[in-house]
Every structure is written in C-alpha cells, then in structure tokens.
Amino acid sequence: MFENIRQDLAAHRGDWGAQGFWAMTVYRFGRWRYGVRPALLRKPLSLLYRALYKAVQIVTGIELPAEVPVGRGFVIEHAGGIVVSGFARFGDHCRIRNGVVVGLARVDDPCAPWIGDHVDIGAGAKVLGRIRIGHHVHIGANAVVLQDVPDHSIAVGVPAVIKPRRAMPGEPVSPVPPVRAADVFPASEPVQ
C-alpha cells in the first residue's frame, strides 16, 4: 500500500494537497484492507474506508471505488464530477480530468470499459460500455466513446471518431497485440 501511495504522490508531482492524490490514498487503503485477515480485523477497517470514501466523494467530487483495478501512476488531474464504475479497469500511467465518466452503457449490462496503459482522458469525456481502450490513447475533452479504441489512437467528438496517432519518441510502436472487447468480455449476446 505505501509503495503505491509513494508512486501516486510522485505521479501528482509531490503535491500533498492535490485532491486527486487524496482520492488515490483512500482508494489504495480500500484495496489494501481486502488483504487483512481475519475478517474480524477487516470489519473496522472497512467502516473506516467507507467513511473516508464518502468524505473524499463529498469534498472532491471523485467516485473511485476500491473494486476498480487501477495500475501504477494513476493521476486525477482536476477534481469534480469524476465517476468511475466498479466494473472498470485501468492500466498503468493513466490520467483523467474533471467531469469524466467511465461506466456502464446500459444498466442491464454490468460491464464497463477496460482502459490500457498510458491513456489520457480529457475533461468531460464519457467512456461507456463493454469496450476496450488500447495503450497510448488520447481521448479528447467531452468525447463520448462507445466503441473500442485501438492502440496509438485519438478519440474525439460526439460520438467519438477514432483517428490514428503518431507514436511519441520512446513510445513502443506495438506494445501488445490488439484485443477486441468480445475477447475480453465473454457475453451471451454479441458486442456491438
């Protein structure tokens, strides 16, 4: 837990007052408490986590439940109006800004996006549904992403239009083979 918090502090440029860092500290505590044994010791920690989670939610406007797997170096750039579904997943070194929603497209399909490594999500963007966002992707401000986004792409507009992006110097050209959402999310009905 403490190593993750140190990495989060470094990702927030050492700013102890960053509201995103507060949310990440409570998040890391919430993840850590799952490993506490026996359950009798975990109960008071869970109560403490719920109180801290609600306080951070009220003060910062960030909803990041401990059920969400989040990689290293996750940055919440600006607080306010950030909602992340408990079904979402984030890779390493992702960045989100105020007004971002990462969640379900439909209530009857409890499956949220899987976000790859080095993804930058702009202010007000909505990333919804049973989709996969590749590695090294930029999602523009106020974009509404409802489909898979391949590695090294940009998603802009409502609904989002996917455009290829040139790799930055030092960025791997193809870090992992592309994965379709249908491969990640087994479903009884086809993915659209």
Side-chain angles (χ1 to χ4, degrees), residues 49-129:
Y49 165 72
R50 286 190 181 99
L52 290 172
Y53 176 80
K54 189 50 75 175
V56 164
Q57 184 183 13
I58 291 169
V59 172
T60 66
I62 299 170
E63 284 187 46
L64 180 63
E67 293 75 26
V68 178
V70 170
R72 294 168 296 151
F74 188 80
V75 176
I76 300 171
E77 193 70 39
H78 302 288
I82 296 172
V83 179
V84 178
S85 166
F87 295 102
R89 290 176 180 251
F90 284 89
D92 295 334
H93 308 291
C94 291
R95 180 178 301 270
I96 63 175
R97 293 176 179 78
N98 59 311
V100 168
V101 175
V102 178
L104 311 178
R106 296 186 320 259
V107 177
D108 60 341
D109 185 17
C111 221
W114 283 24
I115 313 287
D117 298 337
H118 301 278
V119 174
D120 191 332
I121 303 176
K126 311 301 182 242
V127 184
L128 305 171

Side-chain angles (χ1 to χ4, degrees), residues 3-16 18 20-21 24 28 70-77 92-96:
E3 181 57 33
N4 284 329
I5 291 173
R6 274 192 285 277
Q7 289 177 0
D8 292 334
L9 182 59
H12 284 87
R13 295 181 219 92
D15 184 4
W16 287 88
F21 174 68
M24 288 306 299
R28 299 294 182 193
V70 170
R72 294 168 296 151
F74 188 80
V75 176
I76 300 171
E77 193 70 39
D92 295 334
H93 308 291
C94 291
R95 180 178 301 270
I96 63 175

Side-chain angles (χ1 to χ4, degrees), residues 131-145:
I131 61 174
R132 180 194 175 276
I133 307 300
H135 303 290
H136 303 280
V137 168
H138 291 271
I139 296 174
N142 295 316
V144 177
V145 182

